């Protein structure tokens, strides 16, 4: 099974399915129409096969690119016609009148149907002619032969990295020394074992250069040293012969006739009981490592292997199982980037003329710490006139320069290696990121839902579309094509960014294939196509953007708008739109959405516009809508017609009221942040429990204290009953919040939570008096944010026995007085993040030896007014937390004097000196506005620092 749409094959995936559906018995087609569809189906199947074959060609010639573009555009045009036809056939009345009215209605339907078929037959005739012409043109110019033509000779782009003089390198000492330590440091029983360390990072970061520096610095410390390159399509015999030739050095070994098995056997025998260092550069596949590692004996005198790869999964697979030695190479710092750039461009770090400094800063920002980009652009500029105008021209045309300038060929080839290695569905998903502006933080869930709406995702292997889409997202991170942002407790990235150089590459490809059309940077020279498929308008970067009157937008499938301008194209022109994403936090004319009901193909609608307070009643006509995201609007009451959206899977709102008739929305998987208040009917609360596919639920309880007990009991009863029903179905995550004082006592005993619940979160001014008993039965709960007052050892014991808990945030007003909250060695075996918030924490926490073995992040409070002794302020068993990477100390300022707060901060800072250098430490103030002047009053507003400020002490 393949994606509905992709950059290689256009819309052919979905189009062939729709043509198959039209030919089924469900649609009663006229003979002429049916014949035309059968011809198109056969012709398009042949085109589809050709396009898939051509997608494997890395660099097709100009003639082939023209043919590919023609076929893709044809597929989009045919699908637009088919969609229009299917919509007209499905638009017949569903009412069932009787007698004469029914007879007249049937006659009118038949007449309308015949006219629709006639118009469609004429369009099919035109499309048939275009398909025949495209096939004839392809045959006439022998385009198919391109697949069998020989490709250009490959040039090894790694050679310059191997022969770079040490004096020309910057920022390499720290990484080099760390890798040497990883390779040579030995522990206990494993001291003699072979150790494998991996360097991972995307192309151009300097992996080969770094590995070579490690190799040269360790020269003489091993009996034998070997450096070999693998590449994307490794020749194993050649690799093993290379290893043998470096082992035997001057000795001549005749091995040309040997097979792989003989070569491996010889290498193993020779390296047995020898101490060796092997560098395996540029591995792309796990399968390649499985073969290569056979040549190296594992029990081998403290030997080491250093591997470089662009793919995280490959790095982890190759590294020693007992050590997890994966070194993620980082971009150069701003200081090192500037040093490298100025050395290459001017010969010295202080050689940059004053008039070029700000332009240089802009170019370096574009390079993003990528050594390859810095060196390439600096070398290019070294041969240009040192005038501000010339450097600005280069700065403003880096994307087009990458595409055309021969001096940039090496960098382009290195970046394209990673792109060409992607399967076609990931190429499509990556190119789609070009719709977002430079440095934009792209939210994972938002992106995945857009991919789904566009038809890029294939649900396979028992995964649903969202799960498969997240796998695509993770795969792009794994291949270092996108940069993860906001790593969560479970290792998942909340968002991503695209490196500027990768963004330039995918923009270039997207424009060339007419995959995306951009109006953004005024300095960017963009290709113009009459028919636009995906349109991104960035009014923040280009206020006076004007869409060309010659541009045909009726075929646009995706419209993304950042910012606001008076001349935005009206929605009524976008008849084929699947995705509409408006991000303008200021003002948008309310009537801009009045024609939204005409977007009959719309699947994704996101409105990030604060001034929008209501939606058109016609919204219910969007029968294909899958995602409706209104979180950044002020819509508090949804249109009554919203319950007609039978395919809506994700409804995200900003405290909008629960609508009547919600039980009709059986496709809903996520419902966030829906409000329940005194206007919510009891029937709506009951219907909530009938959403059989609901997995994520976020409720805002807006119940007032003044409500009578009778009313409150009815609301609570119906809500609990619905939650219990959802728990027996698919509910996996629940978040309850409230902006008012609202009791959740009814959840203590009445609620039976879902056995498969994975996340429970509460953001509310309410504290459970005890830990709910039902928590102990939640074997799959991995995320828990809970308020309990008071918190005691027994509560921690119950939580510590939860087998899957990875994230825990406990909020409390007080701990049990004179009771140390001891976390035992058997508690919290899976916990990775622990946040403890308590105004009066009593004796505080204490971690026993062996407790919380996986803990990486810890946040603990200290009350500046109540701390009895500052000696050993961090002495709460922190030395027992072997996996800890980040410690956040929260200074509770309530009732404290400023001298007490500052003294405690100093004590924490001094205590941190004895902690591991690998530990990042933060100190923040809580309730800073409550700090008292010595013997007097609270600090004035001018004296109060920003609440919650953070001091980064190390890390």
């Amino acid at each position: 099974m393949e994606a509905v749409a992709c950059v290689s094959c256009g819309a052919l995936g979905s189009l062939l399915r729709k043509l198959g559906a039209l030919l089924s018995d469900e649609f009663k087609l006229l003979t002429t129409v049916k014949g035309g569809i059968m011809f198109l189906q056969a012709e398009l199947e042949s085109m589809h096969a050709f396009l898939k074959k051509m997608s494997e060609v890395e660099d097709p010639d100009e003639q082939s690119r023209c043919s590919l573009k023609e076929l893709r555009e044809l597929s989009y045009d045919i699908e637009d016609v088919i969609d229009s036809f299917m919509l007209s056939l499905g638009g017949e009345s569903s009412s069932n009148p009787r007698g004469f009215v029914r007879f007249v209605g049937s006659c009118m339907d038949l007449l309308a149907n015949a006219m629709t078929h006639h118009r469609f037959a004429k369009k099919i005739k035109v499309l048939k002619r275009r398909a025949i012409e495209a096939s004839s043109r392809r045959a006439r110019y022998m385009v198919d032969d391109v697949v069998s033509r020989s490709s250009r000779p490959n040039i090894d782009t790694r050679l310059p990295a191997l022969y770079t003089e040490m004096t020309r390198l910057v920022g390499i000492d720290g990484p080099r020394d760390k890798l040497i330590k990883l390779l040579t440091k030995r522990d206990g029983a494993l001291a003699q074992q072979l150790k494998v360390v991996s360097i991972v990072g995307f192309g151009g970061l300097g992996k080969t250069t770094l590995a070579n520096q490690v190799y040269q610095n360790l020269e003489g410390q091993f009996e034998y040293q070997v450096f070999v390159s693998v590449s994307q399509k490794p020749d194993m015999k050649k690799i093993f012969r290379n290893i043998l030739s470096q082992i035997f050095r001057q000795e001549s070994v005749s091995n040309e006739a040997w097979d792989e098995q003989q070569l491996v056997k010889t290498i193993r025998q020779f390296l047995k009981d020898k101490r060796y260092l092997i560098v395996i550069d540029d591995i792309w596949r796990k399968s390649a490592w499985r073969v290569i590692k056979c040549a190296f004996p594992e029990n081998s005198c403290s030997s080491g292997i250093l591997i470089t790869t662009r793919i995280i999964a490959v790095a982890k697979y190759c590294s020693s199982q007992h050590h997890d030695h994966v070194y993620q190479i980082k971009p150069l710092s701003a200081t090192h980037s500037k040093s490298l750039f100025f050395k290459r461009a001017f010969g010295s770090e202080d050689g940059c003329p004053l008039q070029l400094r700000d332009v240089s800063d802009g170019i370096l920002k574009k390079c993003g710490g990528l050594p390859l980009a810095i060196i390439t652009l600096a070398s290019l500029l070294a041969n240009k006139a040192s005038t501000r105008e010339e450097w600005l021209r280069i700065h403003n045309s880096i994307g087009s320069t990458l595409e055309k300038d021969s001096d940039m060929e090496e960098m382009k080839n290195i970046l394209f290696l990673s792109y060409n290695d992607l399967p076609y569905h990931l190429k499509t998903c990556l190119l789609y990121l070009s719709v977002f502006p430079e440095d934009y933080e792209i939210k994972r869930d938002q992106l995945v839902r857009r991919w789904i709406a566009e038809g890029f995702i294939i649900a396979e292997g028992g995964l649903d579309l969202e799960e498969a889409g997240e796998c695509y997202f993770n795969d792009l991170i794994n291949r270092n094509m996108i940069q993860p942002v906001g790593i969560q407790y479970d290792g998942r990235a909340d968002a991503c960014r695209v490196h500027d150089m990768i963004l330039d590459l995918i923009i270039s490809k997207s424009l060339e294939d007419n995959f995306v059309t951009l109006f953004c940077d005024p300095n960017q020279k963009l290709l113009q196509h009459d028919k636009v498929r995906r349109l991104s308008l960035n009014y923040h970067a280009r206020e006076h953007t004007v869409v060309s009157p010659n541009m045909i937008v009726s075929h646009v499938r995706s419209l993304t708008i950042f910012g606001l301008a008076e001349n935005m194209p009206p929605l009524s022109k976008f008849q084929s739109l699947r995705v509409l994403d408006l991000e303008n936090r200021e003002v948008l004319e309310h009537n801009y959405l009045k024609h939204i009901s005409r977007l009959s193909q719309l699947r994704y609608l996101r409105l990030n516009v604060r001034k929008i307070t209501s939606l058109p009643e016609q919204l219910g006509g969007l029968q294909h809508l899958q995602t409706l995201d209104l979180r950044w609007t002020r819509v508090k009451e949804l249109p009554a017609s919203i319950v007609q959206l039978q395919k809506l899977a994700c409804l995200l709102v900003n405290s909008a009221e629960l609508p009547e008739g919600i039980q009709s929305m059986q496709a809903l998987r996520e419902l966030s942040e829906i409000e329940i208040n005194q206007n919510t009917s009891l029937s709506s609360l009951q219907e909530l429990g009938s959403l059989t596919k609901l997995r994520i639920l976020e409720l805002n309880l807006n119940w007032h204290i003044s409500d009578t007990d009778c009313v409150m009991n009815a609301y609570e009863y119906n809500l609990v009953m619905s939650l219990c029903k959802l728990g027996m179905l698919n509910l996996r995550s629940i978040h309850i919040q409230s902006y008012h004082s609202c009791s959740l006592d009814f959840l203590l005993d009445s609620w039976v939570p879902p056995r498969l619940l994975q996340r429970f979160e509460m953001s509310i001014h309410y504290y459970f008096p005890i830990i709910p008993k039902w928590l102990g039965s939640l074997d799959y709960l991995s995320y828990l944010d809970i308020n309990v007052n008071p918190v005691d050892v027994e509560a921690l014991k119950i939580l510590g026995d939860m087998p899957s808990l990875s994230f825990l945030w406990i909020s409390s007003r007080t701990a049990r007085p004179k009771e140390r909250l001891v976390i035992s060695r058997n508690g919290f075996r899976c916990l990775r993040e622990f946040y403890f918030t308590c105004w009066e924490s009593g004796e505080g926490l204490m971690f026993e030896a062996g407790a919380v073995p996986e803990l990486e992040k810890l946040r603990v409070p200290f009350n500046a007014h109540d701390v009895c002794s500052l000696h050993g302020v961090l002495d709460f068993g922190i030395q027992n937390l072997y996996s800890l990477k980040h410690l956040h100390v929260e200074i509770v300022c309530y009732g404290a004097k400023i001298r007490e707060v500052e003294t405690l901060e100093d004590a924490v800072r001094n205590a941190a000196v004895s902690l591991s250098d690998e530990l990042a430490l933060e100190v923040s103030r809580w309730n800073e506005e409550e700090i008292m002047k010595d013997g007097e009053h609270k600090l004035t507003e001018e004296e109060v620092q920003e609440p919650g400020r953070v001091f980064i002490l190390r890390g």
Side-chain angles (χ1 to χ4, degrees):
M1 191 176 184
E2 66 180 87
V4 173
C6 71
V7 67
S8 304
C9 302
L12 277 169
S14 61
L15 180 54
L16 287 170
R17 292 179 207 172
K18 290 175 182 177
L19 292 178
L22 277 175
L23 292 173
S24 66
D25 294 335
E26 181 182 350
F27 293 92
K28 308 297 182 184
L29 302 179
L30 297 179
T31 304
T32 53
V33 171
K34 194 167 188 175
I37 290 176
M38 290 176 68
F39 172 86
L40 279 179
Q41 186 182 43
E43 192 70 17
L44 293 174
E45 284 174 350
S46 174
M47 291 180 184
H48 197 203
F50 168 72
L51 287 173
K52 285 201 290 186
K53 184 166 63 173
M54 287 298 299
S55 68
E56 299 173 5
V57 178
E58 292 185 359
D59 191 19
D61 61 17
E62 190 65 31
Q63 184 66 56
S64 300
R65 282 199 290 266
C66 289
S67 183
L68 294 173
K69 177 189 171 186
E70 181 181 28
L71 297 183
R72 282 194 298 262
E73 295 298 317
L74 177 60
S75 74
Y76 284 124
D77 289 344
I78 295 176
E79 186 179 44
D80 288 342
V81 172
I82 296 296
D83 284 341
S84 176
F85 179 59
M86 294 180 79
L87 180 68
S88 62
L89 291 181
E92 297 172 13
S93 175
S94 58
S95 59
N96 190 24
R98 297 177 178 274
F100 181 72
V101 175
R102 180 180 179 182
F103 172 74
V104 172
S106 298
C107 292
M108 295 298 292
D109 287 343
L110 285 171
L111 179 60
N113 197 276
M115 294 174 65
T116 298
H117 277 69
H118 180 68
R119 285 195 300 269
F120 182 63
K122 292 174 68 175
K123 291 180 179 179
I124 287 290
K125 189 174 181 181
V126 174
L127 293 171
K128 278 176 61 177
R129 190 184 310 120
R130 285 181 59 187
I132 292 170
E133 289 172 356
S135 295
S136 300
R137 194 175 296 110
R138 202 171 85 232
R140 190 160 59 247
Y141 294 105
M142 296 179 289
V143 173
D144 294 39
D145 293 344
V146 73
V147 181
S148 59
R149 292 176 195 162
S150 58
S151 59
R152 293 180 298 179
N154 290 325
I155 299 174
D156 191 346
T157 54
R158 295 181 296 267
L159 285 175
L162 296 176
Y163 297 102
T164 302
E165 294 293 333
M166 179 61 192
T167 55
R168 305 186 72 185
L169 301 175
V170 298
I172 204 166
D173 295 351
R176 180 200 60 209
D177 294 345
K178 185 169 185 176
L179 282 166
I180 290 174
K181 185 178 178 181
L182 280 174
L183 278 167
T184 56
K185 186 179 178 181
R186 301 288 165 167
D187 302 308
L190 301 175
Q192 295 297 309
Q193 294 242 346
L194 174 66
K195 184 184 282 190
V196 184
V197 176
S198 297
I199 305 173
V200 64
F202 70 93
L205 270 175
K207 299 183 296 297
T208 301
T209 302
L210 178 57
N212 189 46
Q213 286 300 307
V214 172
Y215 180 83
Q216 291 182 22
N217 270 256
L218 289 175
E219 204 159 350
Q221 298 186 34
F222 294 85
E223 294 176 73
Y224 294 94
Q225 289 188 212
V226 173
F227 195 119
V228 292
S229 296
V230 177
S231 76
Q232 284 175 305
K233 299 175 182 177
D235 181 338
M236 288 302 173
K237 284 186 181 180
K238 186 177 178 181
I239 291 169
F240 289 135
R241 289 195 199 104
N242 192 351
I243 293 172
L244 268 179
S245 67
Q246 293 185 56
I247 288 174
F248 286 106
R249 298 168 186 161
Q250 303 300 324
E251 299 178 32
S252 177
V253 180
S254 178
N255 55 34
E256 292 298 322
W258 291 2
D259 61 16
E260 289 178 16
Q261 188 174 351
Q262 289 173 296
L263 290 164
V264 167
K265 185 178 180 181
T266 304
I267 296 170
R268 285 185 68 89
Q269 287 175 342
F270 192 83
L271 292 179
K272 187 178 180 182
D273 300 325
K274 307 282 196 319
R275 189 166 189 252
Y276 58 83
L277 172 65
I278 312 290
V279 177
I280 310 291
D281 186 37
D282 201 25
I283 288 187
W284 289 77
R285 302 283 183 271
K286 294 178 184 179
S287 56
W289 172 243
R290 281 196 294 269
V291 175
I292 292 171
K293 74 174 182 177
C294 295
F296 310 117
E298 292 191 13
N299 252 335
S300 199
C301 305
S302 303
S303 296
I305 297 179
L306 183 60
I307 281 165
T308 73
T309 180
R310 301 186 183 202
I311 301 171
I312 297 171
V314 173
K316 291 180 178 179
Y317 182 80
C318 296
S319 298
S320 299
Q321 295 179 359
H322 302 290
H323 302 280
D324 189 28
H325 285 149
V326 175
Y327 182 78
Q328 184 101 32
I329 190 169
K330 305 294 184 189
L332 292 177
S333 66
T335 301
H336 285 141
S337 295
K338 190 170 289 189
S339 173
L340 179 61
F341 183 77
F342 289 163
K343 279 183 179 180
R344 290 300 177 101
F346 304 106
S348 66
E349 292 187 40
D350 55 0
C352 180
L354 187 62
Q355 75 271 16
L356 297 181
R357 289 203 170 258
D358 60 332
V359 187
S360 298
D361 290 342
I363 292 172
L364 285 170
K365 180 184 177 299
K366 196 80 171 172
C367 293
L370 189 67
L372 174 67
I374 295 170
I375 292 169
T376 303
L377 285 166
S379 301
L380 175 68
L381 290 163
N383 296 315
K384 302 290 183 181
S386 294
T387 63
R388 183 177 174 81
E389 291 73 23
E390 179 64 14
W391 278 51
L392 277 172
R393 186 187 66 79
I394 297 294
H395 171 266
N396 294 336
S397 60
I398 285 177
S400 58
T401 303
L402 177 66
E403 186 68 23
K404 298 174 183 177
D405 199 302
S406 59
D407 293 331
M408 307 279 275
E409 188 72 17
E410 180 188 350
M411 183 167 74
K412 176 186 171 185
N413 289 340
I414 288 175
L415 295 178
F416 261 107
L417 276 176
S418 293
Y419 174 79
N420 289 329
D421 189 60
L422 296 174
Y424 76 90
H425 62 277
L426 287 185
K427 287 180 180 176
T428 303
C429 291
L430 179 65
L431 292 190
Y432 193 69
L433 301 184
S434 59
V435 304
F436 298 102
E438 186 177 297
D439 298 325
Y440 189 86
E441 186 176 300
I442 308 166
K443 291 294 185 181
R444 178 196 63 220
D445 293 343
Q446 173 190 344
L447 178 61
V448 168
R449 289 171 187 138
R450 287 187 59 148
W451 282 343
I452 292 171
E454 291 274 5
F456 299 157
I457 307 298
I458 313 163
E460 291 181 319
L463 300 177
D464 59 36
L465 287 172
E466 288 202 11
E467 292 167 340
E470 187 168 339
C471 287
Y472 288 16
F473 181 84
N474 293 336
D475 206 351
L476 288 172
I477 290 176
N478 174 49
R479 293 167 179 268
N480 278 295
M481 298 305 294
I482 57 178
Q483 301 168 337
V485 175
I487 304 297
Q488 299 172 311
Y489 68 97
D490 52 3
R492 299 160 69 208
D494 179 61
C496 73
R497 282 195 182 92
V498 184
H499 191 283
D500 285 358
M501 288 297 153
I502 299 292
L503 184 60
D504 282 340
L505 180 145
I506 63 177
I507 286 176
S508 170
K509 288 291 295 178
S510 296
L511 296 175
E512 177 185 318
D513 295 338
N514 195 24
F515 187 69
V516 169
T517 300
L518 303 173
F519 286 88
C520 46
D521 188 347
N523 297 312
Q524 201 166 29
K525 191 174 181 180
L526 303 178
L527 300 175
Q528 296 291 327
H529 300 274
D530 290 337
K531 285 187 180 178
V532 177
R533 304 300 176 183
R534 294 168 188 88
L535 180 61
S536 179
L537 306 174
N538 185 358
Y539 289 104
H540 292 312
R542 194 172 183 169
E543 291 183 9
H544 302 294
T545 294
V546 178
V547 176
S548 168
N550 298 325
M551 185 180 291
I552 303 172
V553 297
S554 59
H555 299 279
V556 170
R557 292 163 173 254
S558 167
L559 175 61
T560 307
I561 300 179
F562 301 95
L564 174 71
E566 296 178 357
N567 53 0
M568 289 197 300
L571 288 181
S572 56
K573 292 187 175 182
F574 296 89
Q575 301 163 13
S576 302
L577 208 60
R578 268 83 168 160
V579 171
L580 176 58
D581 197 334
L582 304 180
E583 183 165 315
N584 161 38
R585 300 191 177 186
E586 300 304 324
V587 181
L588 181 74
E589 291 185 18
H590 196 71
N591 62 1
Y592 189 72
L593 299 174
K594 66 181 180 181
H595 296 304
I596 198 167
S597 61
R598 298 183 186 179
L599 308 180
S600 57
Q601 299 296 327
L602 197 65
R603 287 154 171 77
Y604 177 97
L605 175 58
R606 174 176 173 265
L607 301 174
N608 188 341
V609 188
R610 296 189 188 280
K611 290 295 184 180
I612 289 183
T613 57
S614 63
L615 295 174
E617 186 59 39
Q618 296 80 10
L619 186 75
L622 302 176
Q623 287 301 300
H624 293 287
L625 195 63
Q626 300 165 350
T627 296
L628 179 57
D629 188 347
L630 305 172
R631 285 174 294 183
W632 294 97
T633 69
R634 294 179 180 174
V635 175
K636 299 301 179 184
E637 185 176 352
L638 297 168
S641 65
I642 196 170
V643 297
Q644 299 172 17
L645 301 176
Q646 302 296 307
K647 294 183 180 180
L648 192 68
C650 182
L651 177 57
L652 310 174
V653 295
N654 178 15
S655 294
E657 294 179 13
L658 184 69
E660 291 279 353
I662 196 170
Q663 66 181 356
S664 302
M665 305 174 74
Q666 286 300 308
L668 272 179
R669 291 167 50 91
E670 179 172 356
L671 182 59
S672 303
E673 157 197 344
I674 205 76
E675 180 169 295
I676 299 174
N677 56 36
Q678 63 271 24
N679 297 322
T680 305
S681 69
L682 294 179
S683 61
S684 294
L685 275 179
Q686 294 166 0
E687 290 177 0
L688 186 64
S690 64
L691 301 177
T692 58
K693 295 182 180 179
L694 196 66
R695 297 172 67 91
I696 300 172
L697 176 63
E698 185 173 336
L699 296 174
N700 180 26
L701 303 183
N702 193 4
W703 295 339
H704 295 289
I705 298 295
S706 58
D707 291 336
T708 64
D709 289 342
C710 179
V711 172
M712 289 301 296
N713 288 339
Y715 274 78
E716 291 172 358
Y717 174 79
N718 283 283
L719 177 58
V720 167
M721 289 300 101
S722 286
L723 291 178
C724 289
K725 288 180 183 178
L726 292 172
M728 292 185 288
L729 298 168
N730 287 294
L731 193 64
R732 298 290 186 272
S733 172
I734 182 166
H735 181 189
I736 298 177
Q737 63 181 33
S738 176
Y739 304 118
H740 306 280
S741 296
C742 179
S743 173
L744 295 184
D745 286 347
F746 62 93
L747 289 181
L748 276 172
D749 302 314
S750 304
W751 186 37
V752 180
R755 187 177 64 86
L756 300 178
L757 193 70
Q758 297 170 3
R759 185 180 180 113
F760 179 84
E761 188 174 359
M762 53 191 292
S763 306
I764 189 172
H765 298 295
Y766 165 84
Y767 294 82
F768 285 118
I770 58 172
I771 288 288
K773 295 178 181 178
W774 39 260
L775 271 177
S777 65
L778 301 179
D779 292 344
Y780 298 93
L781 194 75
S782 61
Y783 185 105
L784 177 61
D785 181 351
I786 190 168
N787 302 344
V788 182
N789 189 61
V791 65
D792 54 21
V793 173
E794 184 60 30
L796 292 177
K797 185 179 183 306
I798 294 172
L799 297 174
D801 290 338
M802 299 180 70
S804 302
L805 196 63
S806 298
F807 179 98
L808 174 62
W809 191 331
I810 302 178
S811 297
S812 182
R813 291 195 184 97
T814 61
R816 295 283 184 194
K818 298 182 180 180
E819 180 181 22
R820 195 79 189 248
L821 299 176
V822 178
I823 297 178
S824 69
R825 62 177 56 88
N826 297 318
F828 299 105
R829 306 307 294 173
C830 298
L831 196 66
R832 291 180 178 274
E833 294 189 27
F834 181 21
Y835 297 171
F836 180 48
T837 301
C838 185
W839 280 33
E840 298 177 15
S841 53
E843 296 295 317
L845 294 169
M846 173 57 71
F847 296 90
E848 290 186 351
V852 207
E854 303 293 328
L855 190 67
E856 296 178 356
K857 290 185 178 181
L858 174 64
R859 177 174 172 175
V860 291
F862 285 94
N863 194 311
H865 185 57
D866 292 340
V867 171
C868 299
S869 171
L870 295 176
H871 177 69
V873 68
L874 296 183
D875 185 17
F876 52 86
I878 191 172
Q879 69 276 6
N880 297 323
L881 303 177
Y882 305 117
S883 300
L884 193 65
K885 297 177 181 177
H886 187 279
L887 174 63
H888 184 173
V889 175
E890 190 174 51
I891 308 294
V892 180
C893 303
Y894 185 76
K897 298 175 182 178
I898 189 167
R899 177 172 48 82
E900 292 174 319
V901 173
E902 292 174 346
T903 302
L904 180 55
E905 288 171 351
D906 289 339
V908 171
R909 188 178 291 110
N910 293 331
V913 173
S914 63
L915 300 177
S916 167
D917 290 337
E918 301 295 324
L919 183 67
L921 177 67
E922 291 184 23
V923 178
S924 66
R925 294 178 180 179
W926 179 253
N927 286 106
E928 191 169 11
E929 66 276 9
E930 298 293 334
I931 295 177
M932 307 290 290
K933 278 187 178 180
D934 291 351
E936 296 181 14
H937 53 275
K938 294 180 184 178
L939 294 179
T940 64
E941 287 187 19
E942 291 77 15
E943 294 171 314
V944 172
Q945 303 291 334
E946 181 183 353
R949 66 175 175 167
V950 175
F951 301 87
I952 307 295
L953 302 184
R954 185 169 67 242

